Amino acid sequence: MAVAEEIGELCGFLAVVGSVATNQVTFYVHNKCLFPIWPATAPNTGYPVIADGGFYLPSGQTQHIYAPLTWSGRIWARTGCKFNSNWILACETGDCDGRLACNGLLGKPPVTLVRIALQEDQSERPKMF
């Protein structure tokens, strides 16, 4: 049985909700903005990159992000992005060296992010902090 908990909202419009399964956590990233956004992820040291580090999310759409039960890192929304191959600033907010996939890089301010630390407790269901 999955348990859903609201983790937080990014930039007031991006809802991040998680559900816990037996071996992973699924985050549901929903774009409530009237414009597209580019959510990004960055793990803390020792944790894997999830969701390829970033992706495009049209207005009104939802994307699932899968993380291990003990994942720790950040999720944020980037706005006003225009990607090309010369690695210059690509996003107005939360840019990570002009990349679509941040690959562990943190977004540059201005940025609003959600910090997540998942901790598996063998005696209870996994917890999200």
Side-chain angles (χ1 to χ4, degrees):
M1 180 174 187
V3 177
E5 294 184 37
E6 186 164 333
I7 299 299
E9 287 195 22
L10 300 176
C11 70
F13 297 100
L14 174 68
V16 178
V17 177
S19 72
V20 179
T22 57
N23 59 357
Q24 66 184 6
V25 173
T26 304
F27 294 105
Y28 301 87
V29 181
H30 181 74
N31 181 0
K32 293 184 176 183
C33 298
L34 298 176
F35 47 85
I37 60 172
W38 290 261
T41 67
N44 288 342
T45 302
Y47 296 94
V49 172
I50 60 172
D52 295 326
F55 54 93
Y56 171 76
L57 190 59
S59 178
Q61 299 296 308
T62 300
Q63 175 75 34
H64 299 175
I65 298 177
Y66 303 99
L69 288 176
T70 58
W71 188 79
S72 180
R74 296 161 178 82
I75 301 174
W76 69 95
R78 297 172 289 170
T79 60
C81 299
K82 294 181 180 132
F83 296 101
N84 57 36
S85 62
N86 61 7
W87 303 106
I88 61 169
L89 184 67
C91 301
E92 294 171 4
T93 64
D95 188 71
C96 55
D97 285 347
R99 301 175 185 203
L100 172 61
C102 292
N103 242 357
L105 297 174
L106 292 175
K108 292 181 177 71
V111 63
T112 300
L113 55 82
V114 174
R115 294 167 71 162
I116 299 168
L118 302 174
Q119 182 179 20
E120 186 176 17
D121 183 342
Q122 297 297 326
S123 65
E124 301 176 18
R125 65 179 177 85
K127 295 180 175 129
M128 293 182 276
F129 296 102

